Amino acid sequence: MAELLTKCRSLAALLFFLSSSNILLTSISFQSEALAFNTILPTHQIKSFKTPTRIGSLYLSSVDRSNDNKRRDDDQEQPPSIVDDILSDIHSNNFQHRIVVIGNGAILESTARLGPYFGSSVSPKTGDRMVTFASDDKSFEFHLKVDQVSKISFAEIDRTAPAEGGEQNSNTTMRICRFVNQDDGPMCSLILADSSTEAVAWFTGMIARYGNTVQIG
C-alpha cells in the first residue's frame, strides 16, 4: 500500500512538471508570435482586433493606426514653390503696385502696398492653398490661389503718353508681373507703381533671377 502511494505521488509530480513546462513553452511561443506579428505585419492589419487581445504577456491594442501616415503627411508643411518665392520677393520690398484682377465679367483695379501682412493658408471650403497680402486693419486684402498659377511673366513696356497744352509727350515704362492660370487665362497683373531707382533696380533683378517667363509645373 505504501509503495502504491509513493508511485501515485511520483506520477502526480511528473504530471505537474509536464503541465508547468507546457504553459511556459506556450507563453514563450505566444510572445514570440506577438513580437513577430507586431514587427512584420503592416500596422493597418492590427485594426481587426476590436478589443485589447492578450498574447502571452503582450497586449495588441485595438487602436486603428491606418491613417497615421496620412495625418503625418497632412501635418507636414508643403515646401515653398517658385510661386511662393516670387510672391515673397514682391512682398519683402514693400513697393506700391497697381493691382489688376480680371474676373468673369468684372475687372478690379487698385493701387496699394502688398502688405504688411503676408501669409499662406488653406481654404476650408475648397482646399485650395492661398497666399494673402493684407493691410494691418484688413481694409485691403488680396488672395492668390498659388496652385492654380501655371505661368508668371515679367515685362517692361515703354509707353508714350500724349502731351497736353503743347507740352512734349512723356515716355514711361510699365513694369508688369502677370499671373496666368492653368487654362492660359489671366489671373491678375501687378504693375509696379514706383519709378524710383531702387524700384527699377529691384524689378530688373527679378528678371535676372527668374527670367522673363516662369513656367510652373
Side-chain angles (χ1 to χ4, degrees):
M1 185 65 180
E3 183 179 356
L4 179 60
L5 182 59
T6 301
K7 289 183 178 181
C8 288
R9 288 176 178 174
S10 300
L11 181 60
L14 178 60
L15 290 175
F16 178 79
F17 173 76
L18 292 176
S19 176
S20 300
S21 300
N22 186 48
I23 292 173
L24 178 61
L25 291 174
T26 302
S27 177
I28 294 173
S29 176
F30 279 167
Q31 290 183 34
S32 300
E33 291 174 4
L35 288 172
F37 180 86
N38 200 30
T39 303
I40 299 173
L41 286 182
T43 308
H44 69 272
Q45 294 186 14
I46 301 178
K47 68 180 181 180
S48 59
F49 291 93
K50 301 301 181 183
T51 58
T53 302
R54 181 176 174 85
I55 299 183
S57 62
L58 299 178
Y59 283 90
L60 295 181
S61 172
S62 61
V63 176
D64 182 1
R65 299 189 179 92
S66 60
N67 291 323
D68 279 2
N69 291 334
K70 181 178 183 299
R71 292 192 190 100
R72 275 196 295 270
D73 293 339
D74 291 342
D75 291 340
Q76 290 178 353
E77 293 184 359
Q78 295 185 10
S81 65
I82 191 169
V83 181
D84 295 287
D85 291 339
I86 291 173
L87 293 174
S88 179
D89 285 342
I90 292 173
H91 167 261
S92 62
N93 285 277
N94 200 32
F95 296 123
Q96 279 200 333
H97 285 78
R98 183 71 174 172
I99 306 161
V100 182
V101 179
I102 302 174
N104 186 13
I107 298 175
L108 174 65
E109 296 188 34
S110 178
T111 301
R113 298 184 188 275
L114 295 172
Y117 176 81
F118 174 79
S120 179
S121 61
V122 176
S123 170
K125 293 183 178 180
T126 64
D128 293 325
R129 191 168 66 90
M130 297 187 298
V131 164
T132 297
F133 301 89
S135 59
D136 282 330
D137 60 1
K138 301 298 177 68
S139 60
F140 164 78
E141 292 188 20
F142 172 48
H143 308 279
L144 183 65
K145 296 180 178 180
V146 292
D147 293 334
Q148 294 187 16
V149 178
S150 67
K151 184 170 65 176
I152 301 174
S153 64
F154 298 92
E156 292 182 297
I157 302 174
D158 293 327
R159 186 178 65 175
T160 301
E164 296 181 1
E167 296 181 358
Q168 292 183 347
N169 294 342
S170 59
N171 297 323
T172 59
T173 301
M174 296 180 65
R175 297 173 176 87
I176 310 172
C177 177
R178 293 190 178 95
F179 293 80
V180 177
N181 62 25
Q182 296 169 351
D183 297 325
D184 206 28
M187 294 178 68
C188 65
S189 295
L190 304 179
I191 305 171
L192 185 62
D194 190 332
S195 58
S196 65
T197 303
E198 293 80 4
V200 172
W202 167 78
F203 192 87
T204 303
M206 292 288 282
I207 295 177
R209 180 179 178 181
Y210 296 107
N212 289 100
T213 302
V214 179
Q215 199 72 40
I216 313 301

